[in-house]
Amino acid sequence: SLDALASQHGMPSLVKVDVEGCEMSVLDSAKAVIAAKPIFIMEFNALCLSNFGRVNPRDAIDRILATFSKVEFITQQGRQLVTDPYVFLMANIIDHGSVDNLICSWG
């Protein structure tokens, strides 16, 4: 678990999560790490979330938005704030080939 790694090696200030659809499982294993409020950079891949993680992408983005006070996705122009899960998912699936990198923080 991420909490076990942090207890052995110290609390991180930055966490990169790219686990092909199992990102929610990583969040489940990181209660102490999340409480320490590091920045999370996390891949959001709607296809991998649904196929490999068996997670509804809408549930995943809702949970991410509930966990972190600031969620942005990286674009060619910079960062864009995620405020509406429906708009984000539409862009993720239609415009971005189901793959976005999120920056999750406490703003």
Side-chain angles (χ1 to χ4, degrees):
S1 74
L2 192 51
D3 281 347
L5 286 170
S7 70
Q8 284 185 320
H9 302 286
M11 201 58 69
S13 58
L14 175 69
V15 177
K16 170 68 170 130
V17 182
D18 183 353
V19 290
E20 304 309 319
C22 296
E23 287 77 9
M24 298 303 101
S25 295
V26 172
L27 291 182
D28 288 340
S29 78
K31 293 188 185 345
V33 171
I34 290 170
K37 297 186 176 184
I39 295 170
F40 275 70
I41 298 175
M42 186 178 335
E43 183 181 70
F44 190 97
N45 184 322
L47 290 174
C48 286
L49 283 163
S50 61
N51 288 323
F52 304 131
R54 303 272 185 191
V55 173
N56 181 318
R58 177 59 192 255
D59 293 340
I61 194 61
D62 285 346
R63 180 167 172 205
I64 291 166
L65 289 169
T67 301
F68 301 95
S69 62
K70 186 176 184 181
V71 178
E72 303 166 290
F73 65 97
I74 301 170
T75 71
Q76 290 182 349
Q77 293 76 34
R79 299 178 186 184
Q80 184 172 338
L81 193 61
V82 178
T83 56
D84 184 319
Y86 174 79
V87 172
F88 169 75
L89 282 174
M90 184 178 65
N92 175 261
I93 294 167
I94 294 172
D95 300 331
H96 307 150
S98 297
V99 180
D100 282 298
N101 284 302
L102 302 178
I103 301 172
C104 306
S105 63
W106 286 267

